[in-house]
Amino acid sequence: MQAKPRVEFIGGPYDGHQQSVPSADALADTVALPVNQNIFRLLSGLPASENVRNTSIAIYELEMVEGAAKYYFLGATSGAEPFAQA
């Protein structure tokens, strides 16, 4: 059985997180991901809390490195302020 492709996040709040994906070919070039208390709880295997507000939005850009999909952190925004690139 062939292993599912994975994408790795480099930098920012998701640094080091790896996620299985159905196909590396179908990944978006740029993603905006919410940052809040639940994200870190879920990534740690803990249950989500209720009524948690986003603290910011993390922006990542896809690069294929030696056949591996990696999202590199570009910066973050609160949603109320202009995007601040890292």
Side-chain angles (χ1 to χ4, degrees), residues 48-85:
S49 299
E50 292 184 28
N51 300 323
V52 175
R53 297 178 60 183
N54 290 340
T55 56
S56 61
I57 305 296
I59 313 296
Y60 286 85
E61 183 174 62
L62 180 67
E63 286 189 32
M64 297 301 287
V65 179
E66 297 177 5
K70 297 183 185 283
Y71 275 116
Y72 286 89
F73 181 66
L74 291 180
T77 182
S78 70
E81 298 175 14
F83 174 66
Q85 192 164 355

